[in-house]
Amino acid sequence: MKPEPKKLKELDDKTTNYKVKVKVIHKASPQQSPNKKRFQRLILKDEEGYTMKATLFEKDIERYEEALKRNGEYEISNAAIAPTPAQHASHPSEYQMTINSRARISPLITDFSILEPQYRSIAAIPRAMSEGDDLIDVLGVLLYVDDMKIINQANIREIHITDPSYDRSLMVSVWNDLARNDSELIKTWSPSNVVIGFTALRSTTIKGFSMASTMSSEIIKHPQGTKAETLRTWYVILSV
């Protein structure tokens, strides 16, 4: 029997023999639980805008590394569905997906360029975002990097950028590993390394309009492409 097409809102722990079309809007780095079990979190969104959390464990993280990419669109069939534990649920009666060898995943896109960072100008970034919104990739000229701070036992560092669409600096708050490792390296850059990219950011209202890293975020230290070259040229002209 062929899998029956479903929407995310229709899936629960009694659903079997189904398939659903989704976009991966969030893909976190692998983590380790207190009991030493490795896991990786994803958030999926369907064409109606409904979202569902998904998790991979242990060897399945590597198994599906290339098969599931942020911004990729896929048909997923017969992955296990279970109630979300109350401490992790966003609302009552929430369900989550576990992706393992039982699941079947087929890509729905042929233009794989959408899996590359989709940089927006600062002026085009929405000032308010809901939980199901796509995360934002931003490219900018690096202005300066603040010293690292510790807030609620988490490391945070603020990086300031700008671009031709914005007449002031944009603060990007990065957390934990991004604040400790990547940002420390950025502070040592020479003046020639002026363009920097960020992926999977969320807009916030902290200290006015700003951006903050998420579990999916990466810092692109040497971004390539037309937009990056245009920014480098703009900076050179501005500096003359």
Side-chain angles (χ1 to χ4, degrees), residues 20-39:
V20 61
K21 294 180 180 180
V22 296
K23 179 179 181 179
V24 178
I25 63 170
H26 184 96
K27 184 176 181 180
S29 300
Q31 301 175 67
Q32 188 166 277
S33 66
N35 65 3
K36 307 301 182 182
K37 189 173 186 178
R38 294 174 63 242
F39 67 94

Side-chain angles (χ1 to χ4, degrees), residues 3 15-20 76-80 98 100 102-104:
T15 307
T16 59
N17 198 36
Y18 75 91
K19 60 182 179 181
V20 61
I76 300 178
S77 59
N78 297 331
T98 298
N100 53 29
R102 168 183 167 179
R104 296 291 178 266

Side-chain angles (χ1 to χ4, degrees), residues 28 91 118 166 195 208:
H91 55 79
Q118 304 296 302
Y166 203 59
V195 176

